[in-house]
Amino acid sequence: MDYLIIPVTAFAQNCSLIWCNETREAALIDPGGDAERIKQQVETQNVQVKAVLLTHGHLDHVGAAVELAAHYGVSIVGPQKQDAFWLDALPVQSQMFGLTECAPFTPDRWLEEGETVQVGQSTLEVLHCPGHTPGHIVFFHRAGRLLFSGDVIFNGGVGRTDFPQGNHEALIDAIKNKLLPLGDNVTFIPGHGPVSTLGRERISNPFLN
């Protein structure tokens, strides 16, 4: 599996374009906005988008999901269903952040821990990691030792938990008991900021020590 990080919106959110090298089939993870920029990158990489994948329901991660799913004729998959209230509240989120209004929507498929998503010949495992939001999930490509962690863990930080239904203890528990055991050699792409490895964060992340 290969990937390209496409920073979008004023929040510099990391939309990830991922694809299977064998089939050139692709997916977009967390297309938070700037749909035209994302379309240009898809065209440049010469890949075929087959799905839009969402880690959680915050506006800066889902803002262009409906437009891009319609453009490519594909399904929106994820997050876990406890984030339905965030997707229902997208117009309110738009007002809060002073962004163009985003209409509420329901994904074509909710995801649960233990399920998988196929991108060409590449398999992504789904882990439910609540705390930042109650329905937050992450996508793990075990063969490539690659994790798409959304807003759970960052290079030197962890996700905010001061939003409605946020839970700091649940977030730290998910990181320590679900993510870190995946292995020190796992590279993760966070929802914002630079990539890191789970090993580096296990040692140096101040929120985990």
Side-chain angles (χ1 to χ4, degrees):
M1 172 176 282
D2 210 342
Y3 69 89
L4 175 70
I5 299 172
I6 310 168
V8 296
T9 80
F11 297 96
Q13 188 267 318
N14 291 332
C15 169
S16 293
L17 171 62
I18 65 173
W19 64 91
C20 169
N21 288 310
E22 289 80 11
T23 66
R24 307 300 291 176
E25 291 185 357
L28 290 163
I29 300 179
D30 287 358
D34 298 334
E36 293 306 315
R37 181 188 303 174
I38 294 172
K39 291 176 189 176
Q40 289 172 5
Q41 292 294 342
V42 170
E43 185 174 346
T44 297
Q45 298 301 326
N46 191 29
V47 295
Q48 294 182 314
V49 173
K50 297 294 186 180
V52 172
L53 310 179
L54 303 178
T55 63
H56 64 292
H58 283 164
L59 173 63
D60 58 326
H61 289 253
V62 309
V66 171
E67 178 180 348
L68 290 166
H71 178 75
Y72 294 111
V74 301
S75 297
I76 299 175
V77 181
Q80 197 266 357
K81 59 189 175 184
Q82 291 183 71
D83 264 20
F85 80 100
W86 277 115
L87 297 177
D88 291 339
L90 281 169
V92 176
Q93 293 190 59
S94 306
Q95 293 176 0
M96 284 174 55
F97 295 114
L99 300 175
T100 303
E101 180 164 327
C102 182
F105 67 88
T106 300
D108 299 284
R109 174 188 169 194
W110 300 106
L111 288 173
E112 296 290 344
E113 173 139 356
E115 294 189 280
T116 60
V117 175
Q118 204 70 22
V119 182
Q121 297 178 19
S122 300
T123 301
L124 297 176
E125 301 174 28
V126 176
L127 295 172
H128 181 210
C129 295
H132 179 64
T133 68
H136 200 303
I137 58 173
V138 302
F139 297 99
F140 180 46
H141 183 235
R142 187 174 295 272
R145 312 303 294 158
L146 186 62
L147 175 71
F148 300 90
S149 64
D151 285 356
V152 175
I153 187 170
F154 301 107
N155 185 323
V158 298
R160 289 176 58 178
T161 54
D162 56 340
F163 296 116
Q165 295 190 36
N167 186 316
H168 184 74
E169 288 185 1
L171 180 79
I172 299 302
D173 180 73
I175 294 171
K176 289 185 174 181
N177 295 311
K178 293 186 178 183
L179 299 190
L180 295 185
L182 297 176
D184 285 354
N185 65 340
V186 171
T187 296
F188 69 87
I189 300 172
H192 307 264
V195 302
S196 184
T197 66
L198 292 178
R200 182 185 305 160
E201 299 309 310
R202 182 179 59 80
I203 294 170
S204 65
N205 193 307
F207 294 91
L208 303 179
N209 294 298

